[in-house]
Amino acid sequence: MEGRLINPSSGLPDAKLSPVADSSVLQIWGGHPLHGHVRISGAKNSALVIMAGTLLCSGDCHIRNVPLLVDVDRMGQVLSALGVSVQRNGDILDINASNITSSKAPYELVTQLRASFFAIGPILARLGVAQMPLPGGCAIGARPVDLHVRGLQAMGAEVQIEHGICNAYVPGKNRRLKGAKIYLDIPSVGATETLMMAATLAEGETIIENAAREPEVVDLANFCIAMGAKIQGAGTSTITIDGVPKLHSIDYTIIPDRIEAGTFLVAGAITRSDILLSPVVPEHLVPVIAKLREIGVPIVEEAPDSLRLLPAERLVAADIETMPHPGFPTDMQAPFMALLAIAEGDSLINETVFENRLRHASELNRLGADIRVKGNTAFVRGVPLLSGAPVIGTDLRAAAALVVAGLAANGKTTIQGLRYLDRGYDRLDLKLLELGAKIQRLPAAGADPEVAPTTINPEASISS
Ligand code: UD1
């Protein structure tokens, strides 16, 4: 938190005012193996939706293991704008939504953070009315919210979209949503979460069919259950929720971030390193670990909550198709593309979850990779070595892929687009620095030393 500007209303660092500037860059001198232990932070996607879930509770929510991220700051600002009290103390958030003073989330925040739209479910369940700006598309695709809206309508909400705002209210005297049977056309993570939250306070039983099975959905369900919600089947395709009138105070710890852990595994694999990761839930990483082993990377479960990655003798090509959980996660596709860029042979990567999520391919080619993209498929021909160059991250995971590639590339890689990285990785550069990477964060203007620093000042790479 040191050096961060604090938003006076939320007590949180202000994302807009933050010194995490768009103009800063990361410089990496590649080719150095990593070593040692890395601590994995709490899951971004759990933290964001659990923060939305606190709107269901009229008591105190004490949430532990919350990662330090710009997106978490922004979600805190959304809650503050609704009149909710939000206090941060290290990795603990204390949230009290006993007095929600507004049912309208601010446009400029929701459009910056898609997950804040998911708050429409709990706001509607608590107040019987919600006004939520549409989150809009983003770099990786159009990302509609039709499934969220249709589910809320099935639960009795009247929903109208006008001037870019989704206006929802629950008719009737008691303004409570009604349990319903909902089938999702796609097992959308966000729609499952929105509807599950809404259903916790609805009258009667809600059944969500073809629900998302991601670990973060299960984490949200466990959070709600711990507050007194009646939810069964989270983690399977059918979730059943029996509505209750009220939820109570809670002390809850967020699960470790499987995507952050996966990114460190790929960083270790590409640099042929020996590193230890904890805490992790190996079960959440099954598709990632299986793919890394197929590529030739040895991984051992050292303890129930830690993984050790050992140097690979050879990296070999593998095909990847992204899928909803428990399939291969779309959020790991970009870092794996960086790894496969230097694996022996031809790999094929098929992105099936988002329509525009291969833009990192051309940036990886700037580092010497040989990748062709046709539609949603990338054909990766392994090259022996990448070479450092200036590159730009176009979305969160694309930026992470470039960091991973830069760790392996010969010479200096300079990465722009850190505003994406800082949204979703908790001090990635500092953690890599502690593992021995030659990495530093600089203001863009100063990003031109020609030689790797012999001693690196850790302060220089703290993102916040
Ligand atoms: C969440 C994650 C994101 C991850 C994604 C897929 C959060 C905050 N973000 O995003 O990191 O990449 O899951 O694992 O948890 N769709 C519709 N209509 C809808 C909703 C979704 O067509 O109403 C489509 C989307 O455009 C996309 C697909 O469904 O093509 C999956 O999206 P979804 O699972 O909803 O992703 P998010 O919840 O937005």
Side-chain angles (χ1 to χ4, degrees), residues 44-45 48 114-115 118 143-148 186-191 193 214 330-331 353-355 357:
K44 168 181 88 84
N45 289 347
L48 296 177
R114 178 179 168 84
F118 307 171
R143 304 184 83 175
V145 288
D146 55 319
L147 300 173
H148 304 240
I186 302 170
S188 155
V189 174
E193 293 171 339
E214 269 68 3
T330 172
D331 287 347
V353 179
F354 291 109
E355 65 266 33
R357 209 178 197 182

PDB file of all heavy atoms in Angstrom, residues 44-45 48 114-115 118 143-148 186-191 193 214 330-331 353-355 357, ligand 1:
ATOM      1  N   LYS A  44      -8.125 -13.223  -7.966  1.00  0.00           N
ATOM      2  CA  LYS A  44      -8.770 -11.987  -8.445  1.00  0.00           C
ATOM      3  C   LYS A  44     -10.259 -12.212  -8.697  1.00  0.00           C
ATOM      4  O   LYS A  44     -11.102 -11.441  -8.235  1.00  0.00           O
ATOM      5  CB  LYS A  44      -8.106 -11.518  -9.752  1.00  0.00           C
ATOM      6  CG  LYS A  44      -8.887 -10.424 -10.466  1.00  0.00           C
ATOM      7  CD  LYS A  44      -8.228  -9.988 -11.761  1.00  0.00           C
ATOM      8  CE  LYS A  44      -8.605 -10.767 -12.978  1.00  0.00           C
ATOM      9  NZ  LYS A  44      -9.839 -10.364 -13.660  1.00  0.00           N
ATOM     10  N   ASN A  45     -10.587 -13.250  -9.451  1.00  0.00           N
ATOM     11  CA  ASN A  45     -11.985 -13.410  -9.859  1.00  0.00           C
ATOM     12  C   ASN A  45     -12.897 -13.797  -8.697  1.00  0.00           C
ATOM     13  O   ASN A  45     -14.093 -13.544  -8.736  1.00  0.00           O
ATOM     14  CB  ASN A  45     -12.091 -14.409 -11.016  1.00  0.00           C
ATOM     15  CG  ASN A  45     -11.531 -13.828 -12.305  1.00  0.00           C
ATOM     16  OD1 ASN A  45     -11.295 -12.623 -12.397  1.00  0.00           O
ATOM     17  ND2 ASN A  45     -11.303 -14.678 -13.295  1.00  0.00           N
ATOM     18  N   LEU A  48     -13.286 -10.265  -6.599  1.00  0.00           N
ATOM     19  CA  LEU A  48     -14.201  -9.286  -7.198  1.00  0.00           C
ATOM     20  C   LEU A  48     -15.656  -9.673  -6.969  1.00  0.00           C
ATOM     21  O   LEU A  48     -16.485  -8.842  -6.598  1.00  0.00           O
ATOM     22  CB  LEU A  48     -13.914  -9.142  -8.698  1.00  0.00           C
ATOM     23  CG  LEU A  48     -12.528  -8.575  -9.044  1.00  0.00           C
ATOM     24  CD1 LEU A  48     -12.332  -8.542 -10.554  1.00  0.00           C
ATOM     25  CD2 LEU A  48     -12.355  -7.177  -8.455  1.00  0.00           C
ATOM     26  N   ARG A 114     -15.725  -5.090 -15.802  1.00  0.00           N
ATOM     27  CA  ARG A 114     -16.890  -5.893 -16.154  1.00  0.00           C
ATOM     28  C   ARG A 114     -17.506  -6.583 -14.932  1.00  0.00           C
ATOM     29  O   ARG A 114     -18.724  -6.669 -14.804  1.00  0.00           O
ATOM     30  CB  ARG A 114     -16.478  -6.937 -17.195  1.00  0.00           C
ATOM     31  CG  ARG A 114     -17.599  -7.839 -17.590  1.00  0.00           C
ATOM     32  CD  ARG A 114     -17.188  -8.838 -18.638  1.00  0.00           C
ATOM     33  NE  ARG A 114     -18.194  -9.868 -18.806  1.00  0.00           N
ATOM     34  CZ  ARG A 114     -19.255  -9.747 -19.560  1.00  0.00           C
ATOM     35  NH1 ARG A 114     -19.465  -8.637 -20.225  1.00  0.00           N
ATOM     36  NH2 ARG A 114     -20.144 -10.709 -19.648  1.00  0.00           N
ATOM     37  N   ALA A 115     -16.643  -7.071 -14.041  1.00  0.00           N
ATOM     38  CA  ALA A 115     -17.159  -7.838 -12.897  1.00  0.00           C
ATOM     39  C   ALA A 115     -18.094  -7.005 -12.033  1.00  0.00           C
ATOM     40  O   ALA A 115     -18.938  -7.557 -11.321  1.00  0.00           O
ATOM     41  CB  ALA A 115     -16.005  -8.368 -12.058  1.00  0.00           C
ATOM     42  N   PHE A 118     -21.768  -7.655 -12.246  1.00  0.00           N
ATOM     43  CA  PHE A 118     -22.334  -8.813 -11.546  1.00  0.00           C
ATOM     44  C   PHE A 118     -23.073  -8.390 -10.259  1.00  0.00           C
ATOM     45  O   PHE A 118     -23.890  -9.129  -9.737  1.00  0.00           O
ATOM     46  CB  PHE A 118     -21.255  -9.852 -11.171  1.00  0.00           C
ATOM     47  CG  PHE A 118     -20.375 -10.329 -12.312  1.00  0.00           C
ATOM     48  CD1 PHE A 118     -19.258 -11.127 -12.067  1.00  0.00           C
ATOM     49  CD2 PHE A 118     -20.644  -9.996 -13.637  1.00  0.00           C
ATOM     50  CE1 PHE A 118     -18.442 -11.565 -13.096  1.00  0.00           C
ATOM     51  CE2 PHE A 118     -19.827 -10.429 -14.677  1.00  0.00           C
ATOM     52  CZ  PHE A 118     -18.725 -11.211 -14.399  1.00  0.00           C
ATOM     53  N   ARG A 143     -18.511  -9.596 -25.289  1.00  0.00           N
ATOM     54  CA  ARG A 143     -18.901  -9.895 -23.907  1.00  0.00           C
ATOM     55  C   ARG A 143     -20.279  -9.334 -23.520  1.00  0.00           C
ATOM     56  O   ARG A 143     -20.400  -8.443 -22.675  1.00  0.00           O
ATOM     57  CB  ARG A 143     -17.820  -9.418 -22.939  1.00  0.00           C
ATOM     58  CG  ARG A 143     -16.474 -10.031 -23.261  1.00  0.00           C
ATOM     59  CD  ARG A 143     -15.406  -9.666 -22.270  1.00  0.00           C
ATOM     60  NE  ARG A 143     -15.427 -10.517 -21.094  1.00  0.00           N
ATOM     61  CZ  ARG A 143     -14.520 -10.450 -20.123  1.00  0.00           C
ATOM     62  NH1 ARG A 143     -13.557  -9.585 -20.187  1.00  0.00           N
ATOM     63  NH2 ARG A 143     -14.591 -11.252 -19.085  1.00  0.00           N
ATOM     64  N   PRO A 144     -21.336  -9.881 -24.108  1.00  0.00           N
ATOM     65  CA  PRO A 144     -22.687  -9.422 -23.752  1.00  0.00           C
ATOM     66  C   PRO A 144     -23.087  -9.864 -22.341  1.00  0.00           C
ATOM     67  O   PRO A 144     -22.377 -10.640 -21.702  1.00  0.00           O
ATOM     68  CB  PRO A 144     -23.570 -10.112 -24.799  1.00  0.00           C
ATOM     69  CG  PRO A 144     -22.789 -11.284 -25.270  1.00  0.00           C
ATOM     70  CD  PRO A 144     -21.337 -10.960 -25.097  1.00  0.00           C
ATOM     71  N   VAL A 145     -24.247  -9.349 -21.871  1.00  0.00           N
ATOM     72  CA  VAL A 145     -24.749  -9.742 -20.543  1.00  0.00           C
ATOM     73  C   VAL A 145     -26.178 -10.289 -20.652  1.00  0.00           C
ATOM     74  O   VAL A 145     -26.933 -10.264 -19.694  1.00  0.00           O
ATOM     75  CB  VAL A 145     -24.699  -8.564 -19.531  1.00  0.00           C
ATOM     76  CG1 VAL A 145     -23.267  -8.253 -19.126  1.00  0.00           C
ATOM     77  CG2 VAL A 145     -25.388  -7.318 -20.075  1.00  0.00           C
ATOM     78  N   ASP A 146     -26.525 -10.789 -21.843  1.00  0.00           N
ATOM     79  CA  ASP A 146     -27.892 -11.265 -22.069  1.00  0.00           C
ATOM     80  C   ASP A 146     -28.291 -12.395 -21.122  1.00  0.00           C
ATOM     81  O   ASP A 146     -29.437 -12.477 -20.678  1.00  0.00           O
ATOM     82  CB  ASP A 146     -28.062 -11.698 -23.538  1.00  0.00           C
ATOM     83  CG  ASP A 146     -27.019 -12.727 -23.957  1.00  0.00           C
ATOM     84  OD1 ASP A 146     -25.837 -12.572 -23.577  1.00  0.00           O
ATOM     85  OD2 ASP A 146     -27.372 -13.691 -24.662  1.00  0.00           O
ATOM     86  N   LEU A 147     -27.342 -13.266 -20.777  1.00  0.00           N
ATOM     87  CA  LEU A 147     -27.688 -14.396 -19.906  1.00  0.00           C
ATOM     88  C   LEU A 147     -27.994 -13.924 -18.479  1.00  0.00           C
ATOM     89  O   LEU A 147     -28.878 -14.469 -17.816  1.00  0.00           O
ATOM     90  CB  LEU A 147     -26.551 -15.422 -19.879  1.00  0.00           C
ATOM     91  CG  LEU A 147     -26.188 -16.043 -21.236  1.00  0.00           C
ATOM     92  CD1 LEU A 147     -24.952 -16.918 -21.118  1.00  0.00           C
ATOM     93  CD2 LEU A 147     -27.366 -16.864 -21.779  1.00  0.00           C
ATOM     94  N   HIS A 148     -27.276 -12.903 -18.040  1.00  0.00           N
ATOM     95  CA  HIS A 148     -27.551 -12.329 -16.712  1.00  0.00           C
ATOM     96  C   HIS A 148     -28.988 -11.772 -16.715  1.00  0.00           C
ATOM     97  O   HIS A 148     -29.776 -12.020 -15.801  1.00  0.00           O
ATOM     98  CB  HIS A 148     -26.605 -11.162 -16.395  1.00  0.00           C
ATOM     99  CG  HIS A 148     -25.138 -11.483 -16.467  1.00  0.00           C
ATOM    100  ND1 HIS A 148     -24.300 -11.345 -15.389  1.00  0.00           N
ATOM    101  CD2 HIS A 148     -24.349 -11.904 -17.482  1.00  0.00           C
ATOM    102  CE1 HIS A 148     -23.066 -11.673 -15.736  1.00  0.00           C
ATOM    103  NE2 HIS A 148     -23.072 -12.011 -17.010  1.00  0.00           N
ATOM    104  N   ILE A 186     -24.829 -20.819 -22.338  1.00  0.00           N
ATOM    105  CA  ILE A 186     -23.373 -20.991 -22.211  1.00  0.00           C
ATOM    106  C   ILE A 186     -23.091 -21.058 -20.708  1.00  0.00           C
ATOM    107  O   ILE A 186     -23.719 -20.314 -19.948  1.00  0.00           O
ATOM    108  CB  ILE A 186     -22.640 -19.748 -22.784  1.00  0.00           C
ATOM    109  CG1 ILE A 186     -23.016 -19.523 -24.245  1.00  0.00           C
ATOM    110  CG2 ILE A 186     -21.131 -19.836 -22.607  1.00  0.00           C
ATOM    111  CD1 ILE A 186     -22.513 -18.181 -24.799  1.00  0.00           C
ATOM    112  N   PRO A 187     -22.161 -21.918 -20.281  1.00  0.00           N
ATOM    113  CA  PRO A 187     -21.871 -21.936 -18.826  1.00  0.00           C
ATOM    114  C   PRO A 187     -21.050 -20.714 -18.429  1.00  0.00           C
ATOM    115  O   PRO A 187     -19.868 -20.799 -18.099  1.00  0.00           O
ATOM    116  CB  PRO A 187     -21.093 -23.245 -18.628  1.00  0.00           C
ATOM    117  CG  PRO A 187     -20.481 -23.526 -19.967  1.00  0.00           C
ATOM    118  CD  PRO A 187     -21.381 -22.939 -21.017  1.00  0.00           C
ATOM    119  N   SER A 188     -21.703 -19.554 -18.495  1.00  0.00           N
ATOM    120  CA  SER A 188     -21.028 -18.278 -18.215  1.00  0.00           C
ATOM    121  C   SER A 188     -20.719 -18.160 -16.724  1.00  0.00           C
ATOM    122  O   SER A 188     -21.600 -18.353 -15.878  1.00  0.00           O
ATOM    123  CB  SER A 188     -21.951 -17.136 -18.649  1.00  0.00           C
ATOM    124  OG  SER A 188     -21.662 -15.964 -17.924  1.00  0.00           O
ATOM    125  N   VAL A 189     -19.473 -17.814 -16.439  1.00  0.00           N
ATOM    126  CA  VAL A 189     -19.045 -17.644 -15.044  1.00  0.00           C
ATOM    127  C   VAL A 189     -19.833 -16.495 -14.413  1.00  0.00           C
ATOM    128  O   VAL A 189     -20.453 -16.632 -13.359  1.00  0.00           O
ATOM    129  CB  VAL A 189     -17.517 -17.341 -14.988  1.00  0.00           C
ATOM    130  CG1 VAL A 189     -17.086 -17.015 -13.565  1.00  0.00           C
ATOM    131  CG2 VAL A 189     -16.727 -18.511 -15.552  1.00  0.00           C
ATOM    132  N   GLY A 190     -19.816 -15.346 -15.094  1.00  0.00           N
ATOM    133  CA  GLY A 190     -20.461 -14.161 -14.539  1.00  0.00           C
ATOM    134  C   GLY A 190     -21.959 -14.353 -14.369  1.00  0.00           C
ATOM    135  O   GLY A 190     -22.528 -13.982 -13.327  1.00  0.00           O
ATOM    136  N   ALA A 191     -22.630 -14.945 -15.364  1.00  0.00           N
ATOM    137  CA  ALA A 191     -24.083 -15.118 -15.261  1.00  0.00           C
ATOM    138  C   ALA A 191     -24.415 -16.082 -14.124  1.00  0.00           C
ATOM    139  O   ALA A 191     -25.347 -15.853 -13.341  1.00  0.00           O
ATOM    140  CB  ALA A 191     -24.650 -15.612 -16.587  1.00  0.00           C
ATOM    141  N   GLU A 193     -22.731 -16.520 -11.442  1.00  0.00           N
ATOM    142  CA  GLU A 193     -22.492 -15.826 -10.170  1.00  0.00           C
ATOM    143  C   GLU A 193     -23.593 -14.796  -9.883  1.00  0.00           C
ATOM    144  O   GLU A 193     -24.112 -14.718  -8.764  1.00  0.00           O
ATOM    145  CB  GLU A 193     -21.113 -15.176 -10.205  1.00  0.00           C
ATOM    146  CG  GLU A 193     -20.001 -16.226 -10.238  1.00  0.00           C
ATOM    147  CD  GLU A 193     -18.603 -15.669 -10.480  1.00  0.00           C
ATOM    148  OE1 GLU A 193     -18.480 -14.532 -11.016  1.00  0.00           O
ATOM    149  OE2 GLU A 193     -17.635 -16.365 -10.178  1.00  0.00           O
ATOM    150  N   GLU A 214     -16.395 -23.241 -12.484  1.00  0.00           N
ATOM    151  CA  GLU A 214     -15.088 -22.698 -12.102  1.00  0.00           C
ATOM    152  C   GLU A 214     -14.921 -22.669 -10.575  1.00  0.00           C
ATOM    153  O   GLU A 214     -15.896 -22.439  -9.838  1.00  0.00           O
ATOM    154  CB  GLU A 214     -14.951 -21.264 -12.651  1.00  0.00           C
ATOM    155  CG  GLU A 214     -14.323 -21.144 -14.040  1.00  0.00           C
ATOM    156  CD  GLU A 214     -15.173 -21.715 -15.169  1.00  0.00           C
ATOM    157  OE1 GLU A 214     -16.303 -22.170 -14.915  1.00  0.00           O
ATOM    158  OE2 GLU A 214     -14.701 -21.714 -16.326  1.00  0.00           O
ATOM    159  N   THR A 330      -9.185 -20.321 -20.560  1.00  0.00           N
ATOM    160  CA  THR A 330      -8.854 -19.280 -21.541  1.00  0.00           C
ATOM    161  C   THR A 330      -7.855 -18.272 -20.964  1.00  0.00           C
ATOM    162  O   THR A 330      -7.022 -17.731 -21.688  1.00  0.00           O
ATOM    163  CB  THR A 330     -10.135 -18.564 -22.038  1.00  0.00           C
ATOM    164  OG1 THR A 330      -9.754 -17.454 -22.843  1.00  0.00           O
ATOM    165  CG2 THR A 330     -11.015 -18.071 -20.898  1.00  0.00           C
ATOM    166  N   ASP A 331      -7.911 -18.049 -19.643  1.00  0.00           N
ATOM    167  CA  ASP A 331      -6.994 -17.079 -19.033  1.00  0.00           C
ATOM    168  C   ASP A 331      -5.539 -17.559 -19.047  1.00  0.00           C
ATOM    169  O   ASP A 331      -4.626 -16.779 -18.787  1.00  0.00           O
ATOM    170  CB  ASP A 331      -7.421 -16.767 -17.589  1.00  0.00           C
ATOM    171  CG  ASP A 331      -8.684 -15.902 -17.540  1.00  0.00           C
ATOM    172  OD1 ASP A 331      -9.072 -15.350 -18.580  1.00  0.00           O
ATOM    173  OD2 ASP A 331      -9.284 -15.793 -16.450  1.00  0.00           O
ATOM    174  N   VAL A 353     -13.482 -19.708 -26.131  1.00  0.00           N
ATOM    175  CA  VAL A 353     -14.323 -18.999 -25.156  1.00  0.00           C
ATOM    176  C   VAL A 353     -14.573 -17.548 -25.573  1.00  0.00           C
ATOM    177  O   VAL A 353     -15.698 -17.052 -25.514  1.00  0.00           O
ATOM    178  CB  VAL A 353     -13.706 -19.073 -23.737  1.00  0.00           C
ATOM    179  CG1 VAL A 353     -14.570 -18.317 -22.729  1.00  0.00           C
ATOM    180  CG2 VAL A 353     -13.546 -20.525 -23.301  1.00  0.00           C
ATOM    181  N   PHE A 354     -13.521 -16.853 -26.000  1.00  0.00           N
ATOM    182  CA  PHE A 354     -13.664 -15.453 -26.424  1.00  0.00           C
ATOM    183  C   PHE A 354     -13.288 -15.322 -27.895  1.00  0.00           C
ATOM    184  O   PHE A 354     -12.444 -16.068 -28.399  1.00  0.00           O
ATOM    185  CB  PHE A 354     -12.808 -14.523 -25.561  1.00  0.00           C
ATOM    186  CG  PHE A 354     -13.315 -14.408 -24.152  1.00  0.00           C
ATOM    187  CD1 PHE A 354     -12.631 -14.990 -23.099  1.00  0.00           C
ATOM    188  CD2 PHE A 354     -14.499 -13.740 -23.877  1.00  0.00           C
ATOM    189  CE1 PHE A 354     -13.110 -14.909 -21.803  1.00  0.00           C
ATOM    190  CE2 PHE A 354     -14.982 -13.640 -22.581  1.00  0.00           C
ATOM    191  CZ  PHE A 354     -14.294 -14.232 -21.542  1.00  0.00           C
ATOM    192  N   GLU A 355     -13.909 -14.356 -28.567  1.00  0.00           N
ATOM    193  CA  GLU A 355     -13.761 -14.293 -30.028  1.00  0.00           C
ATOM    194  C   GLU A 355     -12.529 -13.535 -30.501  1.00  0.00           C
ATOM    195  O   GLU A 355     -12.185 -13.596 -31.666  1.00  0.00           O
ATOM    196  CB  GLU A 355     -15.042 -13.741 -30.682  1.00  0.00           C
ATOM    197  CG  GLU A 355     -15.386 -12.309 -30.364  1.00  0.00           C
ATOM    198  CD  GLU A 355     -16.354 -12.190 -29.201  1.00  0.00           C
ATOM    199  OE1 GLU A 355     -16.313 -13.029 -28.274  1.00  0.00           O
ATOM    200  OE2 GLU A 355     -17.136 -11.238 -29.193  1.00  0.00           O
ATOM    201  N   ARG A 357      -9.135 -13.215 -28.805  1.00  0.00           N
ATOM    202  CA  ARG A 357      -8.165 -13.313 -27.719  1.00  0.00           C
ATOM    203  C   ARG A 357      -6.835 -13.891 -28.191  1.00  0.00           C
ATOM    204  O   ARG A 357      -6.182 -14.640 -27.475  1.00  0.00           O
ATOM    205  CB  ARG A 357      -8.744 -14.166 -26.592  1.00  0.00           C
ATOM    206  CG  ARG A 357      -8.180 -13.733 -25.273  1.00  0.00           C
ATOM    207  CD  ARG A 357      -8.714 -14.462 -24.080  1.00  0.00           C
ATOM    208  NE  ARG A 357      -8.386 -13.684 -22.882  1.00  0.00           N
ATOM    209  CZ  ARG A 357      -8.669 -14.038 -21.657  1.00  0.00           C
ATOM    210  NH1 ARG A 357      -9.295 -15.145 -21.426  1.00  0.00           N
ATOM    211  NH2 ARG A 357      -8.322 -13.265 -20.647  1.00  0.00           N
TER     212      ARG A 357
HETATM  213  C1  UD1 B   1     -14.961 -14.671 -16.247  1.00  0.00           C
HETATM  214  C2  UD1 B   1     -13.620 -14.240 -15.715  1.00  0.00           C
HETATM  215  C3  UD1 B   1     -12.582 -14.156 -16.831  1.00  0.00           C
HETATM  216  C4  UD1 B   1     -12.544 -15.480 -17.611  1.00  0.00           C
HETATM  217  C5  UD1 B   1     -13.943 -15.883 -18.059  1.00  0.00           C
HETATM  218  C6  UD1 B   1     -13.978 -17.263 -18.708  1.00  0.00           C
HETATM  219  C7  UD1 B   1     -14.280 -12.830 -13.869  1.00  0.00           C
HETATM  220  C8  UD1 B   1     -14.309 -11.472 -13.271  1.00  0.00           C
HETATM  221  N1  UD1 B   1     -13.768 -12.931 -15.094  1.00  0.00           N
HETATM  222  O1  UD1 B   1     -15.403 -13.654 -17.145  1.00  0.00           O
HETATM  223  O2  UD1 B   1     -11.302 -13.923 -16.236  1.00  0.00           O
HETATM  224  O3  UD1 B   1     -11.725 -15.309 -18.757  1.00  0.00           O
HETATM  225  O4  UD1 B   1     -14.828 -15.925 -16.926  1.00  0.00           O
HETATM  226  O5  UD1 B   1     -13.441 -18.210 -17.852  1.00  0.00           O
HETATM  227  O6  UD1 B   1     -14.650 -13.789 -13.230  1.00  0.00           O
HETATM  228  N2  UD1 B   1     -21.455 -14.636 -22.657  1.00  0.00           N
HETATM  229  C9  UD1 B   1     -22.603 -14.350 -23.349  1.00  0.00           C
HETATM  230  N3  UD1 B   1     -23.650 -13.779 -22.661  1.00  0.00           N
HETATM  231  C10 UD1 B   1     -23.574 -13.498 -21.328  1.00  0.00           C
HETATM  232  C11 UD1 B   1     -22.392 -13.809 -20.630  1.00  0.00           C
HETATM  233  C12 UD1 B   1     -21.343 -14.388 -21.310  1.00  0.00           C
HETATM  234  O7  UD1 B   1     -22.691 -14.592 -24.536  1.00  0.00           O
HETATM  235  O8  UD1 B   1     -24.553 -12.972 -20.766  1.00  0.00           O
HETATM  236  C13 UD1 B   1     -20.304 -15.240 -23.372  1.00  0.00           C
HETATM  237  C14 UD1 B   1     -19.052 -14.341 -23.349  1.00  0.00           C
HETATM  238  O9  UD1 B   1     -19.105 -13.349 -24.348  1.00  0.00           O
HETATM  239  C15 UD1 B   1     -17.946 -15.355 -23.559  1.00  0.00           C
HETATM  240  C16 UD1 B   1     -18.496 -16.597 -22.848  1.00  0.00           C
HETATM  241  O10 UD1 B   1     -19.887 -16.398 -22.673  1.00  0.00           O
HETATM  242  O11 UD1 B   1     -17.779 -15.609 -24.921  1.00  0.00           O
HETATM  243  C17 UD1 B   1     -17.885 -16.865 -21.492  1.00  0.00           C
HETATM  244  O12 UD1 B   1     -17.938 -15.682 -20.736  1.00  0.00           O
HETATM  245  P1  UD1 B   1     -18.130 -15.684 -19.149  1.00  0.00           P
HETATM  246  O13 UD1 B   1     -17.910 -17.051 -18.607  1.00  0.00           O
HETATM  247  O14 UD1 B   1     -19.410 -15.000 -18.821  1.00  0.00           O
HETATM  248  O15 UD1 B   1     -16.914 -14.750 -18.709  1.00  0.00           O
HETATM  249  P2  UD1 B   1     -16.929 -13.628 -17.600  1.00  0.00           P
HETATM  250  O16 UD1 B   1     -17.789 -14.033 -16.463  1.00  0.00           O
HETATM  251  O17 UD1 B   1     -17.160 -12.296 -18.199  1.00  0.00           O
END
